[in-house]
Amino acid sequence: MNDTFLKACRGEKVSYTPVWIMRQAGRYLKQYQKIRKKVDFLTLCKTPELAAEVTIQPIDALNVDAAILFSDILIPVEAMGMKLRFFEKKGPLLSPPISDEASVKRLSVIEPEESVSFVLEAIKILRRELSKRVPLIGFSGAPFTMATYMIEGGTSKNFLKTKRMIFQSPGLYGSLMDKITMTIVKYLKAQIKAGAQAVQLFDTWAGVLSPQDYKNYALPYVKKVIYALNPPIPPLSKGGEGGFSDLRPQTPKPPIIYFVGQCAGLLEDIKTCGADVIGIDWRINIDDAIRRLGNNVSVQGNLDPCALFLPAKEIDKRVKDILDRTLSARGHIFNLGHGVLPETPVESVVAMVESVHNLSAKSEVRNTPRRINRK
Ligand code: CP3
């Protein structure tokens, strides 16, 4: 199997920079549109064979180094008890929005094997079908981003309802976040058990918070999720392994990637989250982000999704610029700074992936061979 992606996540030496693309399965692919003509989006998510098929489409079409499970961050929210609908152009709608104690009480912490077994089944199919190809990434929304959808009832501009709950009813917000956090932990543990080889937490909207609000109301729950998936290994006693080495995990744990949209104002706090990889959006130079994050994590990113509308030569230049800026990183996984847009020409995505592979393979050394222990 091509394990370049997993190695870069762990900060191990790689012979070229691995690349995958957020939202790599989707409407910019004709193959995807063909299936979507026959079934609606939620049916697609809930039919394991079809979800597996569209997950593999970009692996065939783009030559990327990882697959990401086809699903949506709102699938577990529906399983918690909210009504979920997707509308063309308008996006998702969740009803009724969470607004008071009674609505939080009605939510359940999910049992993944019962309520989202279709996700786990898709993962099992994918592991079989991808076994000699690329690793499979599972994912979840991060607690704050999931809470915004639940409180706003959909996407929002100012996130006023969410912030009003945080500021006026912090206890209520806390009890909602506790339920969401427990759900995410169970959901991701189940995905890993079913075969996900890495997981990404999407905190798309955390960048709308001020740094102090992020630190108080979003980050602690991210830490809880990561800690629950990845408790630190206790140090060995002086004098060596003392026969306990057998008790240590034999296979490395699946890396955790934490992506925050508009992360630039938050990096010093994000740094403390405990993830193996930090996803960086395009509004900051990635070398700036690396400097501020330090050498204990790998980075992922960060081409502007709109750059794929530039002429091929210009795309190459921007790829090269990012590769140059990431030479000092512990590890780098190339990606866009957010999801690929539905209007994107597929040829540009194919050219970008090729460009990342070619330009990075020419560099003398990609990433440091050092293995730095988690704090
Ligand atoms: O990356 C992948 O290829 C895996 C699939 C995936 C989807 N959504 C498929 C999808 C992943 C990882 C997501 C995550 C997701 N979903 C996020 C976090 C990442 C991000 O982009 O910020 C968020 C915020 C959502 C919620 C969501 N789902 C919205 C706001 C929308 C509507 C907007 C849109 O793009 O249409 C969706 C729908 C959705 N999720 C589609 C796809 C392919 C489009 C559905 C369709 O086929 O019509």
Side-chain angles (χ1 to χ4, degrees):
M1 187 194 56
N2 169 1
D3 62 351
T4 318
F5 161 78
L6 292 173
K7 282 185 168 160
C9 288
R10 298 191 189 106
E12 293 167 17
K13 196 174 175 171
V14 287
S15 54
Y16 66 88
T17 301
V19 49
W20 69 279
I21 297 153
M22 289 191 274
R23 296 281 188 104
Q24 64 189 18
R27 287 162 296 184
Y28 74 107
L29 287 177
K30 284 208 180 68
Q31 308 86 304
Y32 176 82
Q33 286 169 0
K34 203 170 147 196
I35 292 185
R36 270 287 276 110
K37 266 194 203 132
K38 292 186 222 151
V39 291
D40 64 57
F41 176 62
L42 276 178
T43 308
L44 182 47
C45 291
K46 291 176 185 177
T47 314
E49 295 75 18
L50 289 179
E53 187 180 338
V54 294
T55 302
I56 293 173
Q57 284 175 351
I59 311 307
D60 294 334
L62 310 176
N63 194 27
V64 281
D65 299 286
I68 181 160
L69 167 74
F70 186 84
S71 187
D72 196 85
I73 61 161
L74 302 178
I75 290 287
V77 177
E78 185 184 47
M80 290 176 81
M82 292 186 80
K83 187 171 163 63
L84 170 65
R85 282 167 297 171
F86 280 92
F87 293 100
E88 256 356 283
K89 304 240 156 72
K90 264 177 66 187
L93 214 74
L94 283 162
S95 55
I98 302 301
S99 58
D100 55 15
E101 221 172 286
S103 52
V104 174
K105 272 222 170 97
R106 276 197 296 273
L107 295 169
S108 52
V109 172
I110 68 165
E111 293 299 337
E113 279 78 9
E114 285 164 24
S115 56
V116 289
S117 58
F118 50 87
V119 171
L120 310 178
E121 189 51 40
I123 291 174
K124 287 176 194 161
I125 295 172
L126 280 163
R127 279 304 304 277
R128 281 199 298 275
E129 298 195 355
L130 290 170
S131 66
K132 294 208 170 62
R133 301 185 72 184
V134 292
L136 176 67
I137 306 170
F139 71 88
S140 168
F144 175 75
T145 290
M146 274 176 49
T148 65
Y149 281 100
M150 296 167 79
I151 299 166
E152 307 286 338
T155 314
S156 170
K157 200 166 165 216
N158 296 318
F159 297 90
L160 174 59
K161 285 183 183 167
T162 307
K163 292 186 184 182
R164 197 158 55 197
M165 187 187 288
I166 290 175
F167 297 147
Q168 296 183 356
S169 317
L172 179 63
Y173 174 78
S175 62
L176 172 61
M177 288 294 270
D178 284 344
K179 274 195 167 169
I180 296 173
T181 303
M182 282 191 272
T183 288
I184 295 172
V185 168
K186 287 195 168 193
Y187 189 45
L188 288 178
K189 277 190 173 172
Q191 290 188 31
I192 290 167
K193 194 172 159 212
Q197 289 151 293
V199 291
Q200 173 154 322
L201 275 170
F202 283 94
D203 224 345
T204 306
W205 300 121
V208 305
L209 291 170
S210 72
Q212 68 263 42
D213 289 332
Y214 173 75
K215 195 174 178 172
N216 291 330
Y217 301 112
L219 181 63
Y221 303 95
V222 175
K223 285 185 176 172
K224 278 185 201 175
V225 172
I226 294 174
Y227 187 86
L229 295 177
N230 216 1
I233 300 165
L236 293 167
S237 54
K238 267 194 193 144
E241 306 260 314
F244 286 100
S245 60
D246 289 351
L247 302 178
R248 298 185 145 227
Q250 296 301 301
T251 46
K253 280 193 244 79
I256 302 171
I257 308 166
Y258 178 48
F259 167 79
V260 178
Q262 310 214 32
C263 64
L266 307 172
L267 286 171
E268 282 70 22
D269 290 317
I270 290 172
K271 181 181 170 176
T272 67
C273 74
D276 304 273
V277 183
I278 305 297
I280 310 291
D281 68 87
W282 71 91
R283 299 165 187 89
I284 177 171
N285 285 324
I286 199 161
D287 49 334
D288 262 3
I290 293 164
R291 206 171 305 121
R292 285 165 60 194
L293 288 169
N295 240 303
N296 243 336
V297 287
S298 299
V299 290
Q300 176 175 281
N302 75 337
L303 186 71
D304 181 349
C306 293
L308 293 173
F309 296 81
L310 283 163
K313 264 197 176 157
E314 297 297 319
I315 298 178
D316 274 356
K317 271 192 202 160
R318 293 198 182 207
V319 167
K320 171 93 170 44
D321 180 60
I322 290 174
L323 291 174
D324 287 345
R325 289 176 190 274
T326 51
L327 281 170
S328 63
R330 181 190 86 159
H332 175 223
I333 299 108
F334 199 100
N335 206 316
L336 300 178
H338 200 171
V340 60
L341 299 165
E343 299 85 356
T344 310
V346 185
E347 315 80 69
S348 297
V349 187
V350 173
M352 183 203 85
V353 171
E354 211 178 289
S355 175
V356 172
H357 285 160
N358 289 338
L359 293 171
S360 64
K362 277 182 203 143
S363 310
E364 268 295 291
V365 183
R366 291 304 306 177
N367 309 334
T368 52
R370 281 170 293 150
R371 181 97 170 78
I372 297 157
N373 291 329
R374 179 188 304 282
K375 260 193 280 183

